[in-house]
Structures are given as C-alpha cells and as structure tokens.
Amino acid sequence: MTKLKIALQKSGRLSDKSLELIRECGISLTNGSRKLLSLSSNFPLEVMYLRDDDIPRYVADGVADIGIVGENVVKEEQTEVDVLEALGFARCRLSLAVPRTVQYDGMSYFEGRKVATSYPGILKDFFDREGIDADIHEISGSVEIAPGIGLSEGVFDIVSSGSTLISNGLREVERVMDSQAILVARPELPREKQEMLNSLLFRIRAVKKSRNNKYILLNAPNDRLEEINALIPGMKSPTVMPLAEEGWSSVHSVLEESAFWNIIDRLRDKGAQGILVVPIEKMIV
C-alpha cells in the first residue's frame, strides 16, 4: 500500500511538537521508541526520524515526500523544496551576539572580526547585504562558548529565551531572521501522494485554527443583543437561543483568543453575564 513519507527530527523540542501535531490530527503511530521508522495504523503515513539538517535534502531527493523542519534549516541548506505551511511552533530567531564586556556601536564592530556560527550561509548573505567583510568560522555544537575560549569575537546562533547567551557572558545585538517549524514537500508529488498530502493538510489546518480560537458562551439581555452580537460576530454570525428567564438569551460564538481579551470589558458593560470560554479541539471552516 502506498504511504506518504514524512521526515521528522529524531529528538528534541521540534520532534515532540511535530509528533503532538500528528496526534492532534487523529493519526496513530506505532514504534514509540522512534529508532528509525513509525507507521500509522489509521492513515497512509510513514514517519522517518532524521537529523534536522538532513531533512531538507531527504525531501528534495525524494527519499521523503514531506518533512517538518525549522525554517532556518531550509534557508541554510538552500535545497529545492516547496514550503507548504508555517506551523506556528518551535519559534526562535537567529541573532548576532557579542561579549557583554565589549563596546558595540553597530554593524561595523564585525568588520574583519571572527564570528562563530553553525549557519554560515545565512550569516554570509546577511553580511554581504550589510557590506561587512568578516571572518566566518563554521563550528557545530555549542557556538556560545567560542568567544570565551578565544575562538571568535562574536557568534551567530539560534536564540529562544536568551538565557544561554547570558550564561556565557554574551548579549544579543542584531536580530537577523525569525524562524518557526514549517511543512515542506518535494516538488511534483505523484497524484496519489498529493491526495494524501491534501488530506493531511486539511487536518493540520483544522488543528491550527482550533488552537487560535475559542468557543464563547454568554447570557445577554435581549435589549442589548444587537450590540453584543456586533462585538462577537463569529465565523458567520452568533447563535442566539432564548433562555427560560424572560428577556434573556444565550449567545454562542467563536472568537480568536486575543480578540476576546480585547472585548471582555465591553461585553460586561453591555450586560453580558455568565461568560464561558471553552477550548476547541478541531475547527473546520
């Protein structure tokens, strides 16, 4: 039986989040140890567990049909893959950092200096755009220790919270690019696999929609219904049902979570009571 082959990072936060997304799509996998391959028992999907740097090449070469990988890795590897969907997790940034003790007056600091990084391609493109001629020193592993051992005078690396930089006596000075997990595919998938991919994308987008939206229920006085409904329009319009108590109705709608917090005080001012906010498991639009 033909299966859609997806490449995932074999360990780490990106791997965990990718597997969580697959589970939320209603797809069950075997082989929880993730040694090499997992198969789905209820969807035509085969999971391959790889190093993150290898995923774009495996997809581009057709060994895997699709993959979940960091946007930064795809840009660094410069492989021919189609970016299908930004997934919204594993967010980070790639930044330049220097020792806290040095004076930093701008990009000219890096002129002629050694900069350690695991992303020499991205960094070279950035320096070229800025007109900076620096000595890019490619290393793997713990880039942040390079200045401390005299290997470089700055670093270019992934930053999430910034705590690793601080613990190594560094400070972030230039934010070069933002990154997140993305779904990529090899060009020109066979028709049968394209149909499987379309089905998977449908599920992924439903999960993403549910994460950003909440189901809201509230009780509203009938003489303020029009004003309250205008605040919570929902996907088409709110559902309004009469309550047993005369003069009151129950209003149901769907809102982005951020929008709800912006209007909650206005809802209360217009007489809304008993406001409930409920998570949505899946959302089909």
Side-chain angles (χ1 to χ4, degrees):
M1 178 181 176
T2 302
K3 290 183 178 291
L4 188 68
K5 296 180 180 179
I6 182 171
L8 302 183
Q9 185 175 322
K10 62 183 178 181
S11 62
R13 188 166 60 96
L14 179 57
S15 175
D16 294 339
K17 289 290 186 180
S18 299
L19 288 169
E20 180 184 338
L21 174 62
I22 289 173
R23 286 193 296 269
E24 289 181 324
C25 288
I27 299 172
S28 301
L29 297 175
T30 61
N31 187 10
S33 62
R34 296 183 291 181
K35 290 183 179 179
L36 182 59
L37 295 173
S38 291
L39 300 176
S40 171
S41 58
N42 60 354
F43 191 88
L45 189 72
E46 178 181 305
V47 180
M48 308 170 63
Y49 299 100
L50 306 170
R51 291 176 61 253
D52 58 345
D53 293 350
D54 292 334
I55 291 175
R57 175 53 57 194
Y58 271 66
V59 173
D61 290 345
V63 178
D65 301 308
I66 59 175
I68 295 178
V69 66
E71 190 175 1
N72 57 302
V73 176
V74 173
K75 185 170 182 179
E76 177 64 29
E77 296 299 318
Q78 296 185 344
T79 46
E80 293 296 324
V81 294
D82 294 333
V83 177
L84 303 179
E85 190 83 8
L87 299 176
F89 58 82
R91 293 182 182 274
C92 62
R93 58 192 182 273
L94 270 69
S95 295
L96 284 159
V98 300
R100 285 202 305 265
T101 54
V102 305
Q103 181 176 342
Y104 182 78
D105 296 320
M107 286 293 300
S108 60
Y109 168 86
F110 296 103
E111 183 68 31
R113 296 183 187 269
K114 291 182 179 179
V115 183
T117 183
S118 299
Y119 299 93
I122 296 174
L123 182 57
K124 183 180 185 306
D125 287 346
F126 176 71
F127 278 156
D128 286 348
R129 292 195 303 271
E130 296 293 326
I132 300 295
D133 183 16
D135 181 6
I136 298 175
H137 192 79
E138 182 179 0
I139 61 175
S140 59
S142 302
V143 174
E144 292 86 359
I145 68 171
I149 61 176
L151 188 61
S152 73
E153 298 158 282
V155 301
F156 175 65
D157 202 17
I158 289 175
V159 180
S160 295
S161 65
S163 59
T164 303
L165 292 180
I166 293 171
S167 64
N168 284 277
L170 302 173
R171 61 189 174 105
E172 184 179 1
V173 292
E174 301 288 343
R175 185 171 182 156
V176 175
M177 72 168 286
D178 293 319
S179 178
Q180 62 177 301
I182 56 175
L183 181 69
V184 298
R186 67 183 176 98
E188 300 180 1
L189 273 175
R191 180 177 177 180
E192 185 178 9
K193 290 194 173 185
Q194 184 63 54
E195 290 174 356
M196 297 173 187
L197 175 56
N198 291 343
S199 178
L200 179 61
L201 277 170
F202 177 80
R203 297 188 186 201
I204 288 173
R205 288 164 181 163
V207 170
K208 285 178 61 184
K209 277 283 186 182
S210 70
R211 288 176 175 174
N212 297 328
N213 290 270
K214 301 295 181 184
Y215 192 73
I216 179 173
L217 305 87
L218 57 86
N219 297 329
N222 289 343
D223 60 353
R224 308 298 295 274
L225 270 177
E226 187 174 344
E227 298 169 79
I228 289 173
N229 288 348
L231 292 174
I232 50 172
M235 290 183 288
K236 289 189 180 295
S237 62
T239 299
V240 179
M241 297 179 288
L243 293 177
E245 183 177 344
E246 188 175 348
W248 285 81
S249 294
S250 176
V251 179
H252 300 217
S253 191
V254 173
L255 286 178
E256 288 190 11
E257 187 171 17
S258 58
F260 169 76
W261 291 113
N262 291 332
I263 64 171
I264 184 170
D265 289 336
R266 294 162 66 189
L267 288 171
R268 294 172 63 188
D269 288 344
K270 295 184 183 303
Q273 298 179 6
I275 302 171
L276 298 178
V277 181
V278 183
I280 299 172
E281 184 175 337
K282 304 290 185 294
M283 184 171 169
I284 314 299
V285 296

